[in-house]
Amino acid sequence: MKQVVNVGLLGLGTVGGGVYKVLRNFKDVEILKIAVKDKDLAQDIEGLDRNLLTEDAKIIVTNPDIDIIIEVIGGTGAAYEFIKMALENGKHVVTANKELIAKKGDELFDIAKANNVLLLFEAAVGGGIPIIMPMKMSLAANKFEKIAGILNGTTNYILTKMDEENADYEVVLKEAQELGYAEADPTGDVLGYDAAYKIAILASIAFKKKIDQAQIYREGIDTLNPIEFKYANDFGYKIKLIALAQAIGNKLDVRVHPMLVSTEHPLAHINNVTNSVVIKAQPVNQVMFTGPGAGEMPTASSVCADVLAIVSEIHSTNNLLPEMRCNNTEKVDILPIDETVNKYFIRIDADDTPGVIGCIGNICSKYGINLSYIVQKDVTKDGLATIVILTGFCKEKSVIAALNELSSLISIKNVHKTIRVMEL
């Protein structure tokens, strides 16, 4: 007969409610206590014994009868304190908190190691997509080369609608908020913070290094214009917010920003709130993980999978799931964005006069920038021509220098947008 494993749940919001609904179906797991901010305002779940609720999380994380703590309250304040306290009290912890793992993970993993307990976080990156355990176990024989992913459903929904409906950013953002896909304050999503936390976690796992999340270059989607999507489509691309991590010499190139993705690449066809991660590694070559990146039950699925993984071993060994423990000791420098090498999509407004395109080509050549395409697309009534450029591979700082010189020319009126292009 299986022994029952006692669990304490911190948070009964959307994800916490889903976790409760899933775990109560497993007879070898018992939720002893649930911490909520206000018992009177806690959601009413059918069959929930409200005597389990408490407003004092400390009595849960210090309770000697509880084996596993599940944290789904979010943030880096109280969640950090409770997780730290739980680990120090010898409890295994499961969390969906990407920001906390990205910012405080190194410290918390050290505490977990010192107390011979686990800190698992499958739900922190892909929501319902299994990615952490596959990377650590199923792909353990591989040397990781590159990770590229769509890791935020809110931004992917907005970009999909801007592309399909030729809609302005602000219009689609409002729609996403009304549908519940975007928060009232969408900053964390649309400015790339959420995706940056997630790629920091994936990079640390893939390359077995400590990642300083603050060094990750981050650019959001809030300055994109529908015209960029039109021209991108003309060249055979879609615009996606891509989280990227790859090894470049003894440094890592880790960043988040909009990119043109060729329609030949599977990520170009990941639409709406779906998330996806493509991993390039040897000997497997390339694998792709796709699914719901958020939501009550998808996230609960990953949280509960971590809980059940612990439950399966907790009474049989003192060294649970050694493959899932974090043993990173080395820090690594993140390549500055101006040292990265990319292809670029550039949109310029210039006088519709002879020699302008030649001038642009000469200045790009001066800085070692090869042009794959340079096309005049439209001319306004004021006599301004829209010129769209696709470059070959070149350093970011070379592009910046060339565009600064172009901007100083009388014939160049605006350098509207520069978007990097993702390599296949």
Side-chain angles (χ1 to χ4, degrees):
M1 190 172 182
K2 290 185 177 180
Q3 291 178 266
V4 173
V5 176
N6 294 326
V7 172
L9 178 58
L10 309 184
L12 195 66
T14 299
V15 175
V19 169
Y20 173 80
K21 293 171 190 174
V22 173
L23 285 184
R24 67 182 176 183
N25 296 316
F26 292 86
K27 293 181 180 179
D28 51 348
V29 179
E30 183 175 354
I31 298 176
L32 288 192
K33 273 293 181 183
I34 303 172
V36 294
K37 188 175 289 186
D38 187 329
K39 288 196 290 185
D40 294 331
L41 297 178
Q43 66 166 310
D44 188 19
I45 299 174
E46 184 179 352
L48 171 65
D49 179 0
R50 298 188 75 82
N51 290 321
L52 296 179
L53 304 182
T54 178
E55 295 171 7
D56 186 358
K58 286 184 180 179
I59 70 169
I60 297 180
V61 298
T62 58
N63 185 335
D65 295 326
I66 289 178
D67 305 295
I68 304 171
I69 296 296
I70 304 170
E71 182 274 311
V72 285
I73 58 179
T76 57
Y80 163 73
E81 297 297 337
F82 295 143
I83 289 179
K84 181 180 178 183
M85 193 179 300
L87 296 171
E88 290 172 342
N89 277 272
K91 304 188 185 308
H92 304 290
V93 173
V94 172
T95 180
N97 195 331
K98 67 262 182 179
E99 182 179 6
L100 185 63
I101 294 298
K103 291 182 176 179
K104 299 283 190 178
D106 290 343
E107 176 191 352
L108 294 174
F109 289 127
D110 287 344
I111 296 171
K113 184 176 181 179
N115 289 276
N116 192 29
V117 289
L118 287 168
L119 172 57
L120 300 185
F121 50 95
E122 184 65 70
V125 174
I129 305 172
I131 185 70
I132 306 301
M133 193 170 285
M135 286 180 68
K136 287 196 169 193
M137 299 181 72
S138 305
L139 296 174
N142 285 264
K143 181 178 180 180
F144 291 89
E145 297 176 353
K146 181 177 180 178
I147 301 170
I150 295 169
L151 297 177
N152 184 271
T154 299
T155 51
N156 203 43
Y157 175 84
I158 293 171
L159 295 179
T160 301
K161 291 299 179 181
M162 289 181 71
D163 182 30
E164 293 178 347
E165 300 175 7
N166 192 34
D168 289 330
Y169 166 78
E170 293 293 345
V171 172
V172 181
L173 173 59
K174 184 178 179 182
E175 177 186 320
Q177 290 171 321
E178 291 170 350
L179 292 171
Y181 294 147
E183 302 287 345
D185 178 2
T187 303
D189 294 322
V190 299
L191 296 189
Y193 289 98
D194 178 79
Y197 299 144
K198 293 173 179 177
I199 196 63
I201 294 169
L202 292 181
S204 70
I205 294 169
F207 301 106
K208 296 181 172 60
K209 302 289 185 182
K210 291 186 175 183
I211 305 292
D212 181 357
Q213 175 268 330
Q215 290 186 16
I216 295 175
Y217 176 81
R218 174 189 49 74
E219 182 183 324
I221 66 168
D222 55 318
T223 61
L224 290 171
N225 187 296
I227 196 67
E228 268 97 50
F229 293 84
K230 176 182 180 299
Y231 294 146
N233 285 332
D234 289 347
F235 283 104
Y237 291 94
K238 297 294 180 181
I239 300 176
K240 299 292 182 181
L241 183 70
I242 298 294
L244 176 71
Q246 57 189 345
I248 304 292
N250 61 355
K251 295 183 179 181
L252 292 183
D253 178 10
V254 187
R255 44 191 158 113
V256 173
H257 50 70
M259 298 190 85
L260 265 66
V261 181
S262 169
T263 53
E264 296 179 8
H265 195 285
L267 283 179
H269 307 286
I270 302 300
N271 292 322
N272 299 310
V273 295
T274 303
N275 283 195
S276 187
V277 181
V278 174
I279 294 174
K280 187 175 182 182
Q282 299 304 328
V284 73
N285 191 21
Q286 185 167 291
V287 291
M288 184 172 182
F289 301 82
T290 302
E296 178 189 25
M297 286 306 180
T299 308
S301 168
S302 292
V303 170
C304 295
D306 278 346
V307 172
L308 295 174
I310 295 171
V311 169
S312 69
E313 294 197 0
I314 198 167
H315 294 303
S316 60
T317 178
N318 289 323
N319 186 31
L320 282 70
L321 300 171
E323 303 91 343
M324 296 304 296
R325 297 173 185 247
C326 180
N327 296 307
N328 296 348
T329 56
E330 276 186 59
K331 292 185 177 180
V332 65
D333 288 328
I334 304 299
L335 192 70
I337 191 65
D338 64 352
E339 291 293 329
T340 63
V341 174
N342 308 275
K343 295 180 179 179
Y344 295 85
F345 164 95
I346 303 167
R347 180 166 67 94
I348 295 172
D349 283 347
D351 289 333
D352 184 26
T353 55
V356 171
I357 287 181
C359 181
I360 292 172
N362 288 336
I363 289 177
C364 287
S365 177
K366 173 182 173 181
Y367 290 95
I369 301 169
N370 292 324
L371 303 183
S372 299
Y373 300 98
I374 181 165
V375 181
Q376 181 173 309
K377 300 294 290 185
D378 301 295
V379 179
T380 69
K381 293 178 180 178
D382 299 328
L384 288 181
T386 297
I387 298 169
V388 178
I389 300 168
L390 279 176
T391 77
F393 284 109
C394 51
K395 270 196 175 181
E396 176 113 355
K397 62 183 178 183
S398 298
V399 171
I400 293 170
L403 294 183
N404 284 340
E405 184 165 337
L406 282 170
S407 297
S408 69
L409 300 179
I410 295 175
S411 58
I412 303 296
K413 303 306 178 185
N414 292 295
V415 178
H416 279 288
K417 191 67 183 173
T418 303
I419 306 175
R420 301 165 192 89
V421 181
M422 193 179 90
E423 184 183 3
L424 288 176

